[in-house]
């Protein structure tokens, strides 16, 4: 009887874990106007300095800085569709419009070119050469 109850509890626990939605990065910043940031030298420079450890971070910048290494390592597995859209937009903009910023960020967060090589095909689909 005790074995049956224990097995039942284990099965319930396994079912609960399997049914849980996958972990995603926070969505509390999903309504930020990314276009406004990208087209404002002041705002873009502030985010850039935050990511490069050269300036203060807003709460959004600090969250991005904390999340970025994991997102690279896991191929953005915890990103929502909204996150993925924003990532594509930002990369495309930086590569085309701010290549010096892109190079510095890429060298800081991917010094061994591990992720750039891995995502080259995806970048080509965006019309971006990394």
């Amino acid at each position: 009887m005790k074995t049956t109850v224990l097995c039942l509890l284990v099965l319930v626990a396994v079912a609960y874990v399997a049914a849980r939605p996958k972990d995603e990065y926070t969505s509390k910043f999903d309504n930020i106007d990314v276009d406004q940031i990208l087209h404002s030298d002041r705002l873009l420079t502030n985010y850039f300095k935050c990511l490069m450890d050269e300036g203060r971070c807003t709460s959004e910048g600090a969250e991005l800085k904390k999340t970025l290494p994991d997102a690279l390592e896991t191929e953005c597995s915890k990103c929502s569709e909204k996150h993925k859209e924003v990532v594509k937009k930002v990369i495309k903009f930086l590569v085309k419009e701010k290549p010096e910023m892109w190079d510095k960020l890429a060298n800081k967060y991917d010094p061994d070119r591990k992720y750039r090589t891995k995502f080259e095909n995806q970048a080509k689909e965006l019309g971006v050469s990394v």
Side-chain angles (χ1 to χ4, degrees):
M1 176 70 172
K2 287 182 182 180
T3 306
T4 305
V5 172
L6 180 61
C7 286
L8 183 60
L9 287 174
V10 169
L11 285 173
V12 169
V14 168
Y16 172 75
V17 170
R20 250 181 31 200
K22 84 174 191 182
D23 292 331
E24 286 189 351
Y25 300 123
T26 184
S27 63
K28 67 182 177 179
F29 303 117
D30 281 2
N31 294 321
I32 290 175
D33 186 348
V34 174
D35 289 314
Q36 180 185 14
I37 294 168
L38 295 176
H39 293 92
S40 166
D41 285 336
R42 181 184 61 79
L43 291 173
L44 184 58
T45 298
N46 287 342
Y47 277 94
F48 174 76
K49 285 182 176 180
C50 164
L51 291 172
M52 295 299 294
D53 297 320
E54 297 172 356
R56 293 179 40 180
C57 294
T58 62
S59 58
E60 298 93 346
E63 184 68 26
L64 175 60
K65 187 175 172 179
K66 180 180 89 176
T67 304
L68 188 55
D70 182 68
L72 287 170
E73 186 67 35
T74 65
E75 298 181 32
C76 219
S77 66
K78 298 177 191 172
C79 294
S80 67
E81 287 306 311
K82 171 79 172 170
H83 295 147
K84 290 175 185 177
E85 289 172 25
V86 169
V87 167
K88 289 176 186 176
K89 179 183 282 195
V90 170
I91 290 173
K92 189 173 184 176
F93 177 86
L94 290 175
V95 169
K96 288 186 173 192
E97 305 295 329
K98 303 286 186 180
E100 63 288 335
M101 255 186 204
W102 170 254
D103 286 339
K104 288 179 182 178
L105 285 167
N107 289 333
K108 177 176 175 68
Y109 289 93
D110 188 17
D112 300 327
R113 300 185 63 84
K114 178 166 85 173
Y115 305 116
R116 281 178 275 190
T117 302
K118 195 177 202 178
F119 299 121
E120 264 179 355
N121 290 335
Q122 291 174 341
K124 286 177 185 173
E125 290 174 13
L126 295 172
V128 175
S129 58
V130 187

